[in-house]
Amino acid sequence: GAVVSQHPSWVICKSGTSVKIECRSLDFQATTMFWYRQFPKQSLMLMATSNEGSKATYEQGVEKDKFLINHASLTLSTLTVTSAHPEDSSFYICSAPPGLAQYNEQFFGPGTRLTVL
Amino acid sequence: GNSVTQMEGPVTLSEEAFLTINCTYTATGYPSLFWYVQYPGEGLQLLLKATKADDKGSNKGFEATYRKETTSFHLEKGSVQVSDSAVYFCALSEEDMRFGAGTRLTVKP
């Protein structure tokens, strides 16, 4: 089946620094990718929709200047957490729908655990 | 907007017990419905899905039926195992994917 990878799988950074998380579709092209955030023992929260070749669409309440999304190619989307603070510590997950069944099913990356000290 | 309401946990069962995790949804159109499972320390995995009313998704002994009249997609398994201990998420997909809060299941030997 389709595979989505994320890098890094975990990262620890100091407060005030920026962290970039990559999401790649390994064996399919994805014009759209989704970024989620999961707090401990809570559900996933959709943060934004990443669109190849155009600006990302952010959910209400998500700061677009803080969570920069770039969908540079059909297989890569990046999420940059700028000027990270401890409250940004979370598990970040990306997903991508394969092929033309764009909204029928999605494949999820393994997630990136961000810890901001 | 679209949303999913899922039975809150945690749920603790003995091995071989019957499992039901309730899930209801609100949608403007005709979404696809999913159950995802997250084992400890791992990412999400698709457990089963249904794309239209009256479809039944099934996998690994789990099943769920897309009920449009009751806007529900309850997850069931006749006999749970210790290895089924995980967090289960109900989700719907129309223009994007929306998740329920997740239900933590612990199965004791």
Side-chain angles (χ1 to χ4, degrees), chain B residues 25-94:
Chain B
Y25 68 91
T26 302
T28 53
Y30 302 94
S32 295
L33 301 175
F34 306 84
W35 277 99
Y36 285 87
V37 59
Q38 186 177 33
Y39 297 103
E42 298 184 16
L44 284 179
Q45 299 175 31
L46 177 65
L47 181 60
L48 54 85
K49 68 176 183 179
T51 57
K52 62 182 186 298
D54 299 325
D55 268 2
K56 177 186 283 188
S58 61
N59 185 25
K60 299 181 181 179
F62 291 90
E63 58 182 35
T65 301
Y66 190 144
R67 301 283 188 203
K68 193 170 185 296
E69 63 276 14
T70 54
T71 61
S72 65
F73 193 55
H74 304 322
L75 181 68
E76 296 182 337
K77 186 174 185 181
S79 176
V80 294
Q81 306 300 313
V82 173
S83 57
D84 294 327
S85 297
V87 181
Y88 293 82
F89 292 93
C90 183
L92 70 79
S93 178
E94 200 165 21

Side-chain angles (χ1 to χ4, degrees), chain A residues 38 43 59 103-105 108, chain B residues 32 34 49 93-95 100:
Chain A
Q38 185 186 25
S43 185
E59 295 298 299
Y103 304 117
N104 192 27
E105 182 174 342
F108 288 84
Chain B
S32 295
F34 306 84
K49 68 176 183 179
S93 178
E94 200 165 21
E95 293 190 351

Side-chain angles (χ1 to χ4, degrees), chain A residues 11-26:
Chain A
V11 56
I12 302 173
C13 69
K14 292 182 179 180
S15 186
T17 60
S18 295
V19 174
K20 180 184 284 187
I21 302 170
E22 293 185 348
C23 177
R24 292 181 186 273
S25 56
L26 296 186

Side-chain angles (χ1 to χ4, degrees), chain A residues 44-96:
Chain A
L44 280 77
M45 180 190 75
L46 178 64
M47 298 175 65
T49 303
S50 174
N51 304 298
E52 190 269 336
S54 64
K55 291 183 179 180
T57 305
Y58 290 83
E59 295 298 299
Q60 192 171 10
V62 178
E63 299 176 61
K64 59 183 178 183
D65 294 331
K66 180 163 189 65
F67 298 99
L68 300 179
I69 291 174
N70 183 25
H71 198 141
S73 75
L74 287 171
T75 59
L76 174 64
S77 175
T78 60
L79 168 68
T80 300
V81 184
T82 62
S83 186
H85 288 93
E87 57 266 29
D88 299 324
S89 298
S90 190
F91 194 54
Y92 293 87
I93 301 173
C94 71
S95 72

